[in-house]
Amino acid sequence: PPPPAPPTPTRPPPTSGHALENLSPPPPPRVAPTPPAAVIAPAGNTGLEPTMTSFFQALNIATKITKGTVDILNEKQVVTTGEKVDNSTATLLAKLKIFPFFYRMEVKSMWDRGVVFDAADLSVTETVVEQLLINGIQNIAALSLGAGIPTEASLPIAVTDAFKTVSYTHLTLPTKRIV
């Protein structure tokens, strides 16, 4: 019997590299870690009860009470990049549902049916594959036209060129004289 055929490399769906990003919810704010970016408390209604104003006062955030909820008057930077988060800031961020931290797995490579794909292979979209195929077909057509070898890719171009040649050289239009 003939030996089994080697596995054919198949590209995984384009979303497989980004699936983990969608599955990892942001963790709640914690005391001590430094966030990767500055954290800003946005101006507007917080939805918190007026009893929570002490958290805002501790962080020097101007507030007012409107219709039974606390409103932040001005946007305020609560934590700067590289600054550790203290207990009151972490509690306030949790109440405001602001999640400055994110943890996720980073995909380096993926194994599928005996073939290892790099992370760059996982980010290939259908438009990239389509453009690569179009470029390949154009290269085949140019090579076969240059070599004078008809192929499926060069046939439409060759027929078009032949039609142009015939129509320009062998076709004469009758002319009428108007007196």
Side-chain angles (χ1 to χ4, degrees):
T8 56
T10 56
R11 291 209 181 268
T15 57
S16 64
H18 305 288
L20 292 176
E21 292 176 10
N22 298 335
L23 293 176
S24 56
R30 296 183 185 162
V31 178
T34 58
V39 180
I40 296 174
N45 190 346
T46 62
L48 298 175
E49 297 176 0
T51 57
M52 301 292 169
T53 55
S54 60
F55 290 108
F56 296 102
Q57 290 172 356
L59 296 172
N60 296 327
I61 299 175
T63 60
K64 70 176 183 176
I65 298 171
T66 307
K67 296 182 182 177
T69 60
V70 178
D71 285 353
I72 298 176
L73 297 178
N74 300 318
E75 187 176 272
K76 171 85 172 170
Q77 184 169 341
V78 181
V79 180
T80 58
T81 306
E83 178 185 340
K84 291 188 176 188
V85 177
D86 62 359
N87 192 19
S88 62
T89 305
T91 306
L92 177 65
L93 291 175
K95 290 185 183 292
L96 292 175
K97 296 182 179 143
I98 297 175
F99 305 105
F101 306 106
F102 55 89
Y103 305 100
R104 64 175 173 232
M105 276 193 263
E106 183 178 341
V107 177
K108 298 285 187 183
S109 59
M110 185 177 114
W111 182 80
D112 182 34
R113 299 181 196 156
V115 180
V116 177
F117 297 99
D118 290 330
D121 293 336
L122 300 176
S123 62
V124 173
T125 61
E126 288 181 13
T127 55
V128 171
V129 172
E130 181 180 343
Q131 189 59 43
L132 288 172
L133 286 172
I134 290 171
N135 290 345
I137 292 170
Q138 288 173 345
N139 289 340
I140 290 171
L143 182 65
S144 62
L145 283 172
I149 302 169
T151 61
E152 230 178 285
S154 68
L155 189 60
I157 299 168
V159 169
T160 304
D161 287 345
F163 179 72
K164 286 180 186 177
T165 304
V166 168
S167 66
Y168 289 138
T169 58
H170 300 293
L171 182 65
T172 57
L173 297 174
T175 57
K176 290 185 179 181
R177 287 189 173 180
I178 301 176
V179 180

